[in-house]
Amino acid sequence: MNNGNEIQVWGGIECTINRVGDQYFDQSLYSDHYSRGCADLDLVASLGISMLRYPILWERHQPEPGMEIDWSFTAQSLEQLGKNNILPIAGLVHHGSGPRHVNFFDGSFEQGLANYAQQVASRFPWLEYYTPVNEPLTTARFCGLYGHWYPHGKDDHSFYKVLLAECKATVMAMEAIRKINPEAKLIQTEDLSKCYSTPLLAYQADMENHRRWLSYDLLCGRVDQGHYMWKWLVKAGITEEEILYFLDHHCIPHIAGFNYYITSERFLDEDLSKYPSQYHGGNYRHRYADIETVKVPMHQENGPALLLKEAWQHLQIPLAITECHLHSTREDQMRWFHTMWKTVNKVKREGVDVRAITAWAIFGLYGWNCLVTKPCGDYEPGVFNLSPGYPRPTALARLLQELTRNKAYHHPVLDREGWWQRDNRQQFGSPKVVSMKKKKTSTSCRPLLILGKTGTLGKAFGQVCEERNIHHLMLRRCDLDITDPAGFEKLIHDLDPWGVVNAAGYVKPDEAENDEQACFLANTQGPVSLARICSDKNTRFLSYSSDLVFDGRKASAYTEQDAPNPLSVYGRSKAMAEEQILANNEQALVIRSSSFFGPWDNANFVAATLSSLREGRRVEAARDVLMSPTYVPDLVHTSIDLLLDGDAGIYHVTNGETVSWAQFARWIAITAGYDPALVKPVPYHSMGWKARRPRFSAMQSTKGIKLQSLSRALECCLEALGHAYHSGRIAV
C-alpha cells in the first residue's frame, strides 16, 4: 500500500459466485482460472500492478457446513502473488448469498461468514487486506429488491434485511479476522452511483441519493434516529435493535472503494413515451423511466469527478476506484480507463484523498449482459481476452504497463472522445444529433493512414474508423504510388501516422495471369517497401494476404502455421509479399482472409447473388471449391483491434465456416427469402477461371481469432442492406 502521495494501479479478477434459484454461477469456473491458476497471476504481474483483488470465496471453499476446506489452490495462488510482489485483497463473498445452509434472515449468513473469515485468517495469518462482502448495496438490490438473485425478494423489507445482514457479516468477519491479525484492514467496495430526475421525481432521486451511502454509514456507525434513512428502515420492518447494532460495532473501512460503470448514474423521467419499454418502472406513487444518464441530454453537472468529491465530502475516508471496466470496442475500453485515470489524478490534486484505480475484470467477465441470471452468458474481454481459449493481452495491457512504470500513457486514439462523450450518440428524449461538420481534430493527433480509399477494404476502414471515432486519413491510388518508396517516406514524415493500413493492391487473379509484372509490383514490391519504411519510422504496418497462397491439397482448414504453395500469379505475389514484409519488418501484421462480402459495396459475391435472385436469374456457383467467407465489417473491426493490441506476424481472419460457393449462394437465397432452386451448382472447370484456384482453401486461426458465425454475419449483412431474413441456422 502506498503512502497516499501517488495514484496506484490495482487489479481485479471478476469472481462472482451468485445464486439463482438452486444454481450457483461461478465466474472463475467460466474463465477457467481454476485450471490456469498461477499462470494467470504471472500475467497479472506482467502489468506491474501493486495490489490485486483476489477471491477466497466462501461458497467455493465451504459449500457444505463443517466440511474440511481444501486450501491448496488458494495457497498456491497467494504464494505466487507473494513471489510477484503483489499484495492480495482477499474477497470472501462477491455478489453471493453464501452456501445453501445459510440465509439472510436468521443470522446464519452473518455468523457463517464470521466463522469462515476466522478460518481464512487462521490459514493465512499474514493477509492484511480484506473485502468480506463486495458491493453490499448492489447485492441487496439484486437479491432483495429486484428479485434477480437468491432469495429473489422484491420488497423493501427483503432489501433492507439483506443489506443489514451483509453489513453485519462484514463487521463480524473483520472482528474474527482481527483476533488473529490485529492489523487487518477493511477495503470496502460499493457502486459509485447517483440519481438525477425531473422536478416531479425529485423525491425519489433524493431518497436514492441518501440510500447510496447506507452501507458505508452503517459500517461507520452513523445510522441513528436522526439519520435520513432511519424512517425508511423502520417503515420497512427493520427493528431499532438491528439498526443500532452498528453504533456499538462499527467497522470504519481503511479505504472506501467505489466501482464506476456506464450504468452508475441514472436519470428518472415520468414521460415514458420518450424511452423504450425496458427502461419503464416506477414506485408506489409514479410510473417513470429509469435510464443511464449517458443516454439522455443532461443539464446537470455529473460524472465520476463530481461523485468522488461527494464521496470524500460525505465519508472523509481515503478512496479508491475498485472497479473500472467498459464493455465496448478496444479503443473505447482504453479511453474509459484512461479518462478515469486522469479523473482520479485531477481530484487528488484538488484535495480528495484518492489512493488507487483498479483495472477490473483482468480476464474479462461472463453474463453481465443478463445480470448473471443464466449460466455463463456473453463474454466481455478485459485486459486479457479469453476468447481464443487462452489469455491474450489486449491494448489495455500495454496501457496498464505504461501507467505502472511511467505514470503516463499516450496513444493517438486517446485524443478522440469515447462513444459516451460524442454528440451523435443515441440520446432518448431529444432528436438524434447528426453532426453536419466534423469536429476539428488537433494537429497533434496522429492519424491512422489507410491506402486504397476506393476499394472494398478501404471503404470499410473509412466506415469503421468513423464509427469508432479513430482519426484517419485515406489515400487513393492517384494520391500515392505505393511503388514509389521516396514519395511514401516523405508522406510518412509529413503525416506522422501511428499506423499504416495497406488496403490497396492488385485484386483480379484472372487478369494477373497476363499481367504478372503489374501484379507483383502492386502486391509485392510496393507493400514490402512500405513495410521497410514503417519499420524505420517505428510505425505500425498492416497488409492483407489471401487464401490463394495455398494449393488446396490439405484435408482440413489451413492455419497460420501452414506453408504457402500458390497455384497462380496472384497467389505467388501474395505469398512472396508475406515473406518479405515480415523479413523487413518484424512488427508488421499480415492478415490472410478470403471471399469478402459486406454491405458497403457491390463488388462481392453476396451483392451479385442477391442482384440475380432479385431479378429471378439463375446463379451458377462452383460446387467443388470450398472456402471460408469473410464479412468485411468483422474483418476490419478485428484488424483494428489487432493493430491496437500490437500484434505482429500472420493471422487468419474469417467467419470460420467452410462452404462451397454453391452452398454459400443457396444459403444467401434461403436467408434472404428467395427461391434456392435458382442456384445451380456447377463444377470448377465450368467457371471459366483463367487463374488456378485451390479446390479447398478454408482457413482457421490457431492464434485465437474468432469472429461471429457466418450465419449471423450474413444476417447482419442483409440487415444492413435492408433485406428481411429467415432467422436460425440454415443447413447447407
Side-chain angles (χ1 to χ4, degrees), residues 456 595-611 630-632 661 664 668 717 721:
T456 295
S595 313
F596 295 165
F597 70 96
W600 299 321
D601 75 288
N602 293 319
N604 65 76
F605 184 74
V606 169
T609 300
L610 287 172
S611 178
T630 307
Y631 186 46
V632 172
W661 286 105
F664 191 36
I668 294 166
C717 184
L721 291 170

Side-chain angles (χ1 to χ4, degrees), residues 362-379:
I362 285 181
F363 298 104
L365 45 88
Y366 293 82
W368 279 97
N369 60 306
C370 61
L371 299 177
V372 205
T373 57
K374 300 175 183 178
C376 202
D378 292 350
Y379 174 68

Side-chain angles (χ1 to χ4, degrees), residues 550-556 558 565 567 692 694-696:
F550 298 116
D551 60 15
R553 296 178 182 175
K554 191 179 179 187
S556 58
Y558 286 94
N565 187 29
L567 304 175
R692 290 179 63 198
R695 298 292 186 94
F696 182 89

Side-chain angles (χ1 to χ4, degrees), residues 451-612:
L451 312 179
K453 178 177 180 178
T454 59
T456 295
L457 274 179
K459 290 178 181 177
F461 262 97
Q463 181 82 14
V464 171
C465 285
E466 286 291 333
E467 290 176 6
R468 294 173 63 160
N469 202 24
I470 295 174
H471 178 42
H472 61 287
L473 296 176
M474 303 185 67
L475 299 180
R476 298 165 295 188
R477 289 178 184 269
C478 60
D479 298 321
L480 173 69
D481 180 359
I482 68 170
T483 64
D484 174 18
F488 183 72
E489 189 165 11
K490 182 178 184 303
L491 187 73
I492 292 292
H493 178 271
D494 292 343
L495 297 178
D496 190 27
W498 64 268
V500 174
V501 175
N502 177 32
Y506 198 106
V507 297
K508 298 180 178 180
D510 291 322
E511 293 183 11
E513 295 297 305
N514 295 326
D515 199 7
E516 184 170 347
Q517 183 177 358
C519 179
F520 271 83
L521 196 63
N523 285 356
T524 308
Q525 181 179 324
V528 171
S529 295
L530 302 184
R532 185 183 304 115
I533 293 166
C534 285
S535 179
D536 292 341
K537 299 292 186 181
N538 197 29
T539 301
R540 298 282 293 130
F541 179 70
L542 163 62
S543 196
Y544 286 89
S545 188
S546 165
D547 60 334
L548 299 187
V549 301
F550 298 116
D551 60 15
R553 296 178 182 175
K554 191 179 179 187
S556 58
Y558 286 94
T559 71
E560 291 92 346
Q561 288 72 40
D562 288 315
N565 187 29
L567 304 175
S568 65
V569 169
Y570 178 86
R572 290 198 298 275
S573 75
K574 288 294 188 180
M576 186 177 294
E578 291 177 2
E579 180 181 2
Q580 294 186 12
I581 284 172
L582 295 174
N584 284 274
N585 186 339
E586 293 181 351
Q587 298 304 310
L589 178 62
V590 177
I591 292 179
R592 289 185 187 135
S593 196
S594 165
S595 313
F596 295 165
F597 70 96
W600 299 321
D601 75 288
N602 293 319
N604 65 76
F605 184 74
V606 169
T609 300
L610 287 172
S611 178
S612 295

Side-chain angles (χ1 to χ4, degrees), residues 657-698:
E657 196 86 23
T658 300
V659 294
S660 70
W661 286 105
Q663 287 173 322
F664 191 36
R666 185 170 180 271
W667 197 339
I668 294 166
I670 293 172
T671 308
Y674 293 108
D675 183 2
L678 289 170
V679 176
K680 181 183 179 182
V682 298
Y684 169 92
H685 62 77
S686 70
M687 293 303 299
W689 291 324
K690 188 168 187 178
R692 290 179 63 198
R693 266 78 163 175
R695 298 292 186 94
F696 182 89
S697 63

